[in-house]
Amino acid sequence: MKFSESWLRTLVDTKLSSEELSHLLTMAGLEVEGLEPVAPQFNDVVVAQVLEVVKHPDADRLNVCKVDTGRGEPTTIVCGAPNVAVGLRVPCALPGAKLPGDFVIKIAKVRGIESSGMLCSAKELGIADEASGLLVLPTDAPVGQSIRQYLDLDDNQFELKLTPNRADCLSLTGVAREVAAIAGAQAKLIEVPEVTASITDQRAVVLDAPAACPLYFGRVLKGVNAKASTPEWIKRRLERSAIRSISALVDVTNYVMLELGQPLHAFDNTKLEGAVHARMAKPEEKLLLLNEQIIAIDADILVIADDAKPLAMAGIMGGEESGITLETSELFLESAFFAPKAIAGRARRYGFGSDASHRFERGVDFGGARRAIERATQLIIDICGGAAGPVIEARAEMPARKPVRLRTARACAVIGMTFSPEQIAGLFNGLGLPFVREADDFLVTPPTWRFDIEIEEDLIEEIARLHGYDNIPAPAPCGNLKMMVQPEAQRPAARVRQLLVDRGYQEVVNFAFVEESWEADFAAKTAEIDLIRLANPIASQMAVMRSTLFGGLISNLLTNLKRKQNRVRLFETGRAFERIASATPVPGFAQSWKLSGLAYGGALPEGWGSASRKVDFFDVKGDLEALLAPAQLRFEKLAHPALHPGRSARVLLDNREIGCLGELHPEWVQKYDLPQAPVVFELDFDAVKAVLVPVYAEVSKFPPVIRDLAIVVDQDVALQTLLDGLKGQVSSLVQDIQLFDVYVGKGVPENKKSLAFRIVMQDTQRTLQDSEVDAAMQQLVSCLEQAFGAQLRA
């Protein structure tokens, strides 16, 4: 809601500055979203009257004007505005004036004639974006008065961001009540005397839908001059409240809505037939609205109608056929209360909204409806003339105002500070909340303008915000805290992330809900029973929960490639979701933490010291071995829907599968238009965080003995199988066996391969003898020959 600060200050007496007032309103729950001056700074601009206009002798488009600026002798000013004329009162910038844009007015000769000032347009004063000529002021504007003072240009425009429950502050009266309460000031609300009826004309009002419209006031006015000009002070206040001036009658209804919060509507009385009805729409009824939209009215729409036809969507928008025009001389003025539930959402259903519906669907002060019609009547008579008939009232059962009990002790406990009953009583009195004291309890009856007070917590909120949220102490919590012991067999997640960062990876965070096609591609999940579908996804392409993190990483890779990043290392930790069998009708779900990663592009950053090479399976395998060191990983061939069938492996730790590793499947490389295949991995995060507890082992001070052993075995013998077979057979002297060469070709029989191992032997107590070394080597050879059919290579 926007409004003029000077208008507000006519309703509440406060000495607070604009900034202080803005802060207090925000701290009271009425957030000030904007505070801007209505005009930029300028000086020495006064109201002037044009006394004489003569064509410039040397310029067709210029005029030489004699101007009375209230400073004694008339001033000569050369002016090029097309609308300059004798008798006009316009703004005049005197010599020395500084206008917006640092434009300084000086005495200067214009085509040989001295000009001592400048007649100004609204654009030149910075109060309008466009102007076709001088800003013409009313004929009663006092000559010589500062234009800033005359037009109230030292005013500010406030913009409040109100929550839906504070409909009472959608008016200057409501905001004034708040300011009076929080600043301890005196509210000076508008006194609205009843307008005495001077004619007997009236129109009957019938409440056919009393639950939707329990209160309706109507009044006939005759002899109204709809062409009368709206006073400048009303126009100014409307414009600074972001409402365009239209005509005097429309401006008055808008003005009263802003001032008192009660939307009004005026019908052309000559276009009405019989009584005015507040009823629900009939089947197949249509209505041409003021916005020129023809609507078919739904059955749950409340309408205002006469005996023959619908006239308006009640509380939303009037109809064009019964609307007032500049030719209207007789009108029927409406002020009513419509139940919020009868208005809420109806305007949005038809694709539009209005200031009236915005207020009615939140709740309008039904105790002020009569006051509003009297205020509007008086303004119309003052501005447009005419005579008013009696106010016709139709009333049904009004909303109940049930008392709400507040316990002082409960309020103190919730807010976290002590309030005495006297302090609470003072706050309630300042806000105009009527109450009855029962010891330390308060029985508060919500006034007619407060629809947000229903339970005790609502009153506690009132106390907190009136006291000021920034005045509520926020002591640091204190307690007997104990530092949790970090298990020695588990490393922190931050340490795992840092290890990956140290190896060139960057962490990403993706949504846990993903595209359905990702689950089909990377997890082979296409059946509906396998997918975990969201009941209310935030977007159609995020409809299922992920069972693998691969999809998000591939999407991140594509984003980086579009931005010319040719070397990408990414990892993510997050939940993966799986449906699990359950004996109950309610399905179960597993939510396991995963660590997933991706490597793409060069194995090393470009540089002069190393040759360019693409990352491969073994580069990432080395990263995983370094990540889980000193634990020893095993890798076995794997078939996985997301991975290359010949370049992928399951990852095992202590003979337990903890994840997978491999190149992306060629089918997905082609589908996602990747220049090369990335290498991806996914591990159980709990297994990654687990770490072996260090165990002391004596370090030998004696030299090791190193021997090489080359054997020939069948092509299909896996290295891991061979090493596993040796572990239980080797001598205790053998400390390490490492493969350092694989050869297939000349000198090796067909379907055979040559494997060369480096054997390291050492003892912690003594230097090994040649006989011991030879015996250990023979034991290795015998094991290889008997278990795997190996032969020593010649």
Side-chain angles (χ1 to χ4, degrees):
M1 176 186 171
K2 294 183 179 181
F3 60 86
S4 159
E5 180 183 357
S6 65
W7 187 6
L8 176 65
R9 289 184 182 272
T10 64
L11 301 177
V12 61
D13 184 16
T14 175
K15 303 300 181 184
L16 297 173
S17 67
S18 302
E19 289 72 21
E20 291 170 337
L21 179 59
S22 172
H23 177 73
L24 278 181
L25 284 171
T26 299
M27 288 299 103
L30 307 179
E31 182 184 351
V32 177
E33 193 172 30
L35 174 58
E36 297 178 352
V38 298
Q41 285 299 318
F42 59 83
N43 57 11
D44 292 337
V45 180
V46 299
V47 177
Q49 182 174 14
V50 180
L51 303 177
E52 180 183 310
V53 178
V54 178
K55 283 290 183 182
H56 194 292
D58 295 327
D60 293 338
R61 295 186 180 182
L62 297 180
N63 295 296
V64 180
C65 306
K66 292 291 185 180
V67 178
D68 179 9
T69 61
R71 301 294 192 271
E73 293 294 324
T75 301
T76 300
I77 297 178
V78 177
C79 177
N83 63 334
V84 64
V86 174
L88 289 185
R89 299 199 179 190
V90 295
C92 177
L94 303 174
K98 190 174 183 180
L99 300 184
D102 293 332
F103 182 58
V104 179
I105 303 300
K106 300 177 181 178
I107 298 176
K109 285 190 175 183
V110 180
R111 294 289 184 94
I113 296 179
E114 187 175 89
S115 179
S116 301
M118 185 177 79
L119 303 183
C120 301
S121 67
K123 182 178 180 181
E124 288 162 339
L125 296 180
I127 58 177
D129 294 331
E130 296 295 334
S132 58
L134 300 177
L135 174 60
V136 179
L137 304 174
T139 56
D140 60 351
V143 174
Q145 184 179 13
S146 168
I147 199 70
R148 295 195 72 89
Q149 181 181 356
Y150 178 71
L151 295 179
D152 192 19
L153 297 181
D154 292 321
D155 189 13
N156 291 302
Q157 185 186 57
F158 273 77
E159 182 175 3
L160 298 184
K161 185 179 182 181
L162 297 174
T163 52
N165 64 318
R166 293 312 307 272
D168 60 300
C169 291
L170 288 169
S171 69
L172 270 293
T173 298
V175 176
R177 287 195 197 102
E178 290 291 314
V179 173
I182 62 180
Q186 183 64 41
K188 301 179 292 184
L189 302 183
I190 298 294
E191 294 184 5
V192 183
E194 291 187 8
V195 177
T196 303
S198 57
I199 57 175
T200 59
D201 296 68
Q202 62 184 43
R203 192 173 291 278
V205 175
V206 182
L207 301 181
D208 295 317
C213 176
L215 181 65
Y216 194 102
F217 292 100
R219 165 177 261 166
V220 174
L221 288 91
K222 282 188 169 183
V224 173
N225 177 17
K227 296 180 181 179
S229 299
T230 304
E232 289 298 323
W233 61 274
I234 290 183
K235 284 185 179 179
R236 191 178 307 138
R237 289 178 175 181
L238 290 176
E239 289 169 357
R240 294 176 188 179
S241 301
I243 293 182
R244 180 172 56 90
S245 175
I246 298 174
S247 68
L249 294 177
V250 175
D251 290 349
V252 165
T253 58
N254 284 333
Y255 181 83
V256 174
M257 179 185 68
L258 291 173
E259 184 179 59
L260 302 180
Q262 172 68 49
L264 304 172
H265 188 69
F267 300 95
D268 189 323
N269 193 51
T270 62
K271 300 176 182 178
L272 307 188
E273 302 177 41
V276 172
H277 297 261
R279 62 170 172 80
M280 305 309 293
K282 296 178 180 179
E284 299 183 359
E285 278 191 317
K286 293 186 177 182
L287 179 64
L288 172 61
L289 297 175
L290 289 173
N291 63 3
E292 300 181 353
Q293 179 178 345
I294 298 176
I295 64 168
I297 313 174
D298 294 338
D300 63 341
I301 300 293
L302 180 68
V303 299
I304 304 301
D306 60 16
D307 289 341
K309 59 188 178 300
L311 306 174
M313 290 178 70
I316 298 175
M317 187 174 291
E320 178 69 26
E321 294 178 355
S322 61
I324 56 175
T325 67
L326 293 180
E327 305 304 322
T328 298
S329 62
E330 184 177 331
L331 59 89
F332 180 78
L333 189 62
E334 166 196 285
S335 178
F337 172 74
F338 303 113
K341 290 183 179 179
I343 306 299
R346 300 325 193 260
R348 290 187 292 277
R349 181 187 304 174
Y350 291 97
F352 63 87
S354 67
D355 290 328
S357 66
H358 183 75
R359 286 165 171 79
F360 277 123
E361 67 184 4
R362 287 162 172 77
V364 169
D365 176 15
F366 54 85
R370 175 65 182 263
R371 187 164 176 256
I373 199 171
E374 297 288 1
R375 174 66 167 161
T377 300
Q378 188 61 61
L379 287 172
I380 290 172
I381 292 175
D382 291 344
I383 298 169
C384 303
V391 174
I392 303 303
E393 176 182 352
R395 180 184 293 266
E397 185 179 354
M398 301 303 297
R401 312 311 289 161
K402 297 179 181 179
V404 180
R405 181 175 295 276
L406 172 75
R407 297 163 290 172
T408 299
R410 173 64 176 165
C412 296
V414 172
I415 298 173
M417 62 181 298
T418 302
F419 289 92
S420 68
E422 288 70 25
Q423 286 177 294
I424 294 175
L427 294 173
F428 286 166
N429 282 327
L431 204 53
L433 299 180
F435 62 86
V436 175
R437 285 279 299 272
E438 294 181 358
D440 286 347
D441 289 2
F442 293 80
L443 205 60
V444 179
T445 301
T448 57
W449 60 82
R450 292 300 296 269
F451 285 78
D452 61 319
I453 298 178
E454 296 180 345
I455 58 177
E456 185 178 32
E457 283 71 13
D458 296 330
L459 293 173
I460 294 174
E461 180 186 5
E462 294 300 295
I463 296 171
R465 69 181 192 81
L466 289 179
H467 180 71
Y469 293 122
D470 54 340
N471 293 325
I472 298 176
C478 59
N480 296 321
L481 302 179
K482 183 179 180 181
M483 183 70 73
M484 298 298 292
V485 176
Q486 176 67 40
E488 191 176 5
Q490 184 176 357
R491 53 185 165 186
R495 175 59 181 155
V496 175
R497 292 185 175 95
Q498 188 60 50
L499 287 170
L500 285 167
V501 171
D502 292 343
R503 296 190 73 84
Y505 290 80
Q506 291 182 317
E507 186 173 11
V508 296
V509 178
N510 292 307
F511 284 116
F513 24 87
V514 299
E515 295 185 30
E516 187 174 338
S517 62
W518 291 0
E519 285 296 287
D521 293 348
F522 305 122
K525 291 189 176 181
T526 55
E528 191 66 27
I529 194 173
D530 294 330
L531 298 172
I532 302 176
R533 192 175 295 280
L534 292 170
N536 187 25
I538 63 173
S540 60
Q541 71 272 21
M542 296 179 174
V544 299
M545 302 301 291
R546 65 187 179 187
S547 61
T548 174
L549 278 60
F550 286 154
L553 293 176
I554 298 300
S555 177
N556 298 144
L557 173 61
L558 292 171
T559 300
N560 278 271
L561 291 177
K562 290 176 182 176
R563 286 155 179 79
K564 306 302 180 182
Q565 300 298 315
N566 296 322
R567 185 175 186 271
V568 180
R569 300 286 189 281
L570 303 172
F571 77 92
E572 180 181 9
T573 61
R575 296 276 188 190
F577 301 83
E578 291 282 354
R579 194 185 296 272
I580 57 177
S582 175
T584 65
V586 179
F589 302 97
Q591 305 179 46
S592 55
W593 275 103
K594 299 289 185 180
L595 169 65
S596 190
L598 175 147
Y600 176 91
L604 297 171
E606 289 186 7
W608 58 270
S610 59
S612 177
R613 178 178 63 83
K614 293 180 180 179
V615 68
D616 59 21
F617 174 95
F618 297 100
D619 292 311
V620 181
K621 175 176 177 288
D623 291 336
L624 296 188
E625 289 174 331
L627 178 64
L628 277 86
Q632 297 293 318
L633 296 179
R634 292 183 55 186
F635 298 88
E636 295 181 356
K637 187 177 180 180
L638 168 71
H640 190 284
L643 304 179
H644 192 296
R647 300 175 186 174
S648 58
R650 60 170 50 90
V651 183
L652 297 98
L653 177 64
D654 296 332
N655 292 322
R656 179 173 69 90
E657 184 174 349
I658 64 169
C660 60
L661 160 69
E663 282 189 10
L664 190 65
H665 197 288
E667 182 178 354
W668 312 135
V669 173
Q670 182 178 9
K671 175 179 177 178
Y672 292 97
D673 197 22
L674 297 172
Q676 72 177 72
V679 181
V680 295
F681 66 85
E682 188 165 271
L683 305 176
D684 180 359
F685 197 33
D686 290 335
V688 174
K689 291 191 294 182
V691 65
L692 296 176
V693 177
V695 178
Y696 169 76
E698 184 180 357
V699 178
S700 177
K701 60 184 177 181
F702 299 98
V705 176
I706 299 175
R707 295 283 179 90
D708 291 344
L709 175 64
I711 60 173
V712 176
V713 295
D714 293 339
Q715 281 275 19
D716 57 358
V717 175
L719 172 66
Q720 189 64 55
T721 303
L722 192 149
L723 292 176
D724 291 342
L726 289 177
K727 283 183 180 179
Q729 304 296 326
V730 298
S731 168
S732 60
L733 299 179
V734 178
Q735 302 298 315
D736 190 25
I737 302 176
Q738 290 289 340
L739 177 72
F740 69 87
D741 183 57
V742 178
Y743 174 73
V744 175
K746 186 177 180 180
V748 176
E750 189 177 355
N751 295 326
K752 299 284 186 177
K753 60 183 175 182
S754 170
L755 304 178
F757 298 93
R758 182 151 293 150
I759 315 298
V760 179
M761 292 173 281
Q762 193 175 29
D763 192 275
T764 60
Q765 304 299 323
R766 57 191 174 81
T767 300
L768 295 180
Q769 301 294 322
D770 287 344
S771 58
E772 295 175 303
V773 172
D774 293 340
M777 291 295 295
Q778 184 57 47
Q779 185 178 357
L780 288 174
V781 172
S782 299
C783 178
L784 291 169
E785 290 175 344
Q786 296 171 10
F788 303 100
Q791 298 177 353
L792 286 176
R793 183 180 173 188

